[in-house]
Amino acid sequence: MTRFKIAKVAELQGHDERAWNIAWNPAKPLLASCSADKTVRLYHYDHATDSPDLRFTHNTTISTGHTKTVRAVAWSPSGLSLATASFDANVGIWEQEGGDEGEGPNAGEWECSSLLEGHETECKSVAYSSSGTLLASCSRDKTVWVWEVQPDVDFECLGVLMEHTQDVKCVAWHPHEEILASASYDDTIRLYIDDPSDDWFCFATLKGHESTVWCVSWSPDGRYLASSSDDKTVRIWKRVKEHSWESVLVLTGHERSVYSISWGVGKSNDDASLGWLASASGDGQVMVWELTKPSDSDTAPMSSTPPGHSIIARLEAAHGVYDVNAVAWCPRQGYENILATAGDDCSVRVWKVIPE
Amino acid sequence: MEVFNPNPVIFAPAKATGRRSKPSKPESFWDDEEADVEVDENTVEPIDQDEIFDLIRHISDPEHPNSLEELRVVSAPQISVSENRVIVEFTPTVPHCGMSTLIGLSIRVRLMQSLPPRFKVDIFVKPGSHQSEHAVNKQLNDKERVAAALENPALVDTVEKCLEKAESWGA
């Protein structure tokens, strides 16, 4: 098995307070970060001439107008819209003036095209569905909202899901189906689908974590869901029936809350790879697991056989002595081994996972 | 405002431990120069239980004119310190004390402002001392909930009032 290391590519300073989250634009070389300083920073990246390494340059800072921490950022699949979730209870939708004409220095300012109001307290996470037609948001008010993204960035609320008994920490859409997952302070994960003749509803409650579930991330093939928790573990849930998911694996190694996970396709030479799962924790570590198809994946794809797993890389003190709040793989082709993290030291760091 | 414990028992405070976190200079018996060797910036300055206690003992109780030490809400033996982790246990004066999260938050803010950033701080109520022990502990150790609470001006105001005395003691 190849051993990998996590090597630093860039350290991006600029936020004045804790950096909470990062999001890679899926279409363009842009990385967004958000912070308790209420701003969003955008970085452009390219290859330096005669160097294989990526070079990051600060592109712009959006002073969002949010009156409190910007807790999370998410790009639409087209890469044209950026959503912000703030402790001021609102979701902002940001688009660049002049739209899709480019990202050069002459491109326009980022402006707030919609402000989605409705949550009663801190909004903690926001996510676009794979088609870009739906947006989900969640809050300490215990609700998950599903919004329809209409032409001309008009948003209509399709449903308010009140299943959780506590604070909802994270929402994530399935990579190709309209299934939504939410993670909560009530220690559970809930899965939702749309009933075509009725409303959005919760079809599964995943119990197993022993404390707050901070983050959920789907496998690239959509057959698995990973979750990370204050109980210091990462769990892998597998689809065993059309509408049924089972906990099949518990990954350990972190010593404090695991605040964030990201499951990317990775750059493995193993044909059975299900991709690379990265985790970030209050213990300062970033870990990368490779998950592989179980031997019965062709004959019994919905068996409860767990996937194979191994830690391929591990980085201590990714942000020095500080907590690592978020981790995200770059989704763009050719950049599958590039990772960004956000930390309590106010910085955003970019890493590459390369053979040792 | 509802008073959760109208008549708390008040204890006399102990003398300040007077300890400070300055590392003592290494003694040298043969070469003055060596004693002046600059402290390596990676040197971890040890901090002990008593120093943590000095930081929090003078925090005021949100509903009484007394300090947390006088009410025996905090005490040195309820603090444990390792190289980069501090665990503080506190004892609410009554098991239904609705002020417990506020007390815990004040302790957390005080330690956040005073300790080097390498310290991870965990705060718990004494096992069995509060009827909502699990809920209080969970909230106090959820960094996102703490961050949001500290963006609430009314709450910050209350916490600052509790901390006024502790800060004037300088610790």
Side-chain angles (χ1 to χ4, degrees):
Chain A
M1 191 191 72
T2 323
R3 297 283 310 167
F4 292 84
K5 67 174 179 186
I6 304 174
K8 197 195 279 180
V9 173
E11 182 166 334
L12 309 173
Q13 307 285 359
H15 281 300
D16 294 327
E17 290 181 61
R18 165 188 288 156
W20 271 117
N21 195 216
I22 59 267
W24 295 93
N25 187 303
K28 287 182 277 189
L30 270 183
L31 173 66
S33 64
C34 65
S35 157
D37 70 10
K38 310 179 185 78
T39 70
V40 168
R41 292 175 69 87
L42 296 182
Y43 296 91
H44 175 80
Y45 56 95
D46 58 13
H47 284 281
T49 38
D50 52 83
S51 161
D53 271 342
L54 286 177
R55 184 177 58 184
F56 283 75
T57 45
H58 177 241
N59 175 290
T60 189
T61 301
I62 308 173
S63 329
T64 61
H66 282 299
T67 57
K68 292 184 175 174
T69 287
V70 182
R71 174 63 181 90
V73 273
W75 291 99
S76 65
S78 66
L80 295 175
S81 305
L82 178 72
T84 50
S86 169
F87 282 179
D88 71 7
N90 298 328
V91 171
I93 306 295
W94 304 83
E95 296 191 341
Q96 195 171 20
E97 247 185 4
D100 33 9
E101 284 146 33
E103 70 272 352
N106 300 321
E109 298 275 305
W110 288 83
E111 295 196 329
C112 184
S113 58
S114 297
L115 190 65
L116 311 186
E117 295 168 300
H119 284 298
E120 288 169 15
T121 55
E122 302 95 76
C123 184
K124 304 204 158 169
S125 172
V126 62
Y128 278 95
S129 67
S130 62
S131 63
T133 56
L134 298 169
L135 181 82
S137 60
C138 64
S139 159
R140 183 167 65 84
D141 68 11
K142 307 174 189 173
T143 67
V144 171
W145 290 48
V146 177
W147 307 80
E148 186 178 28
V149 184
Q150 293 175 334
D152 296 326
V153 286
D154 223 7
F155 287 79
E156 190 194 342
C157 177
L158 299 178
V160 176
L161 301 157
M162 296 187 279
E163 299 291 332
H164 284 294
T165 58
Q166 295 284 345
D167 195 355
V168 190
K169 298 292 199 185
C170 179
V171 281
W173 290 96
H174 188 278
H176 47 261
E177 292 177 54
E178 285 189 349
I179 304 176
L180 177 66
S182 64
S184 166
Y185 189 85
D186 70 10
D187 308 351
T188 72
I189 298 155
R190 296 197 180 243
L191 303 179
Y192 315 84
I193 46 171
D194 185 20
D195 178 343
S197 59
D198 200 5
D199 285 332
W200 280 80
F201 69 101
C202 170
F203 70 87
T205 302
L206 310 187
K207 292 182 182 172
H209 279 298
E210 287 162 19
S211 190
T212 300
V213 188
W214 279 101
C215 187
V216 275
S217 180
W218 298 87
S219 65
D221 73 358
R223 289 184 180 181
Y224 299 86
L225 177 71
S227 57
S228 73
S229 165
D230 180 54
D231 69 14
K232 305 172 192 139
T233 70
V234 172
R235 271 179 190 261
I236 307 294
W237 310 79
K238 185 177 180 182
R239 190 176 209 166
V240 292
K241 281 184 210 140
E242 170 79 14
H243 291 133
S244 180
W245 299 72
E246 253 177 38
S247 173
V248 292
L249 186 59
V250 180
L251 302 173
T252 57
H254 282 294
E255 285 154 28
R256 294 185 69 84
S257 290
V258 189
Y259 291 124
S260 177
I261 43 172
S262 176
W263 197 332
V265 294
K267 261 192 180 169
S268 174
N269 40 26
D270 186 342
D271 291 340
S273 179
L274 289 165
W276 289 354
L277 178 65
S279 59
S281 160
D283 67 9
Q285 287 190 89
V286 170
M287 294 174 70
V288 179
W289 279 273
E290 171 148 58
L291 292 151
T292 51
K293 289 176 188 165
S295 52
D296 65 0
S297 83
D298 293 331
T299 51
M302 288 201 174
S303 76
S304 53
T305 316
H309 68 283
S310 59
I311 294 175
I312 59 163
R314 183 175 194 145
L315 177 70
E316 285 185 20
H319 285 251
V321 298
Y322 295 88
D323 290 8
V324 190
N325 296 319
V327 61
W329 291 106
C330 182
R332 294 176 65 223
Q333 209 174 0
Y335 300 91
E336 295 88 349
N337 63 331
I338 304 292
L339 197 62
T341 54
D344 270 359
D345 60 348
C346 311
S347 82
V348 169
R349 298 184 184 198
V350 182
W351 312 87
K352 58 183 174 181
V353 179
I354 49 173
E356 206 160 42
Chain B
M1 191 164 68
E2 185 187 355
V3 173
F4 291 94
N5 181 2
N7 191 20
V9 183
I10 297 158
F11 299 86
K15 276 189 185 164
T17 60
R19 288 191 176 215
R20 290 298 175 263
S21 51
K22 297 239 164 56
S24 53
K25 249 185 190 177
E27 277 185 46
S28 169
F29 297 103
W30 57 85
D31 189 347
D32 281 341
E33 249 181 68
E34 242 187 72
D36 285 328
V37 167
E38 277 196 17
V39 179
D40 182 341
E41 61 176 21
N42 294 321
T43 302
V44 172
E45 193 178 290
I47 289 182
D48 66 22
Q49 197 182 45
D50 288 329
E51 284 169 276
I52 305 284
F53 182 53
D54 282 349
L55 288 169
I56 62 173
R57 62 199 299 183
H58 303 294
I59 296 173
S60 311
D61 184 89
E63 57 179 16
H64 302 105
N66 308 97
S67 72
L68 296 186
E69 180 188 21
E70 287 167 336
L71 298 172
R72 293 280 161 94
V73 172
V74 295
S75 67
Q78 286 176 284
I79 297 166
S80 75
V81 189
S82 54
E83 193 184 313
N84 48 23
R85 187 174 181 209
V86 174
I87 303 170
V88 177
E89 183 188 280
F90 68 101
T91 314
T93 54
V94 283
H96 58 275
C97 180
M99 292 290 149
S100 294
T101 44
L102 187 54
I103 292 170
L105 189 62
S106 301
I107 296 172
R108 180 170 287 287
V109 170
R110 177 72 176 138
L111 295 180
M112 257 165 38
Q113 291 170 347
S114 316
L115 292 177
R118 72 169 190 275
F119 282 101
K120 310 286 181 188
V121 177
D122 295 309
I123 299 177
F124 303 105
V125 296
K126 184 184 175 171
S129 71
H130 198 280
Q131 61 192 19
S132 315
E133 185 179 322
H134 179 70
V136 172
N137 289 343
K138 197 167 187 179
Q139 203 172 344
L140 286 175
N141 294 296
D142 180 315
K143 71 184 279 185
E144 190 180 47
R145 296 284 282 260
V146 170
L150 296 177
E151 287 190 352
N152 174 339
L155 201 51
V156 170
D157 230 39
T158 315
V159 168
E160 277 173 358
K161 284 204 182 81
C162 294
L163 293 183
E164 262 168 24
K165 281 219 179 107
E167 279 156 6
S168 69
W169 277 82

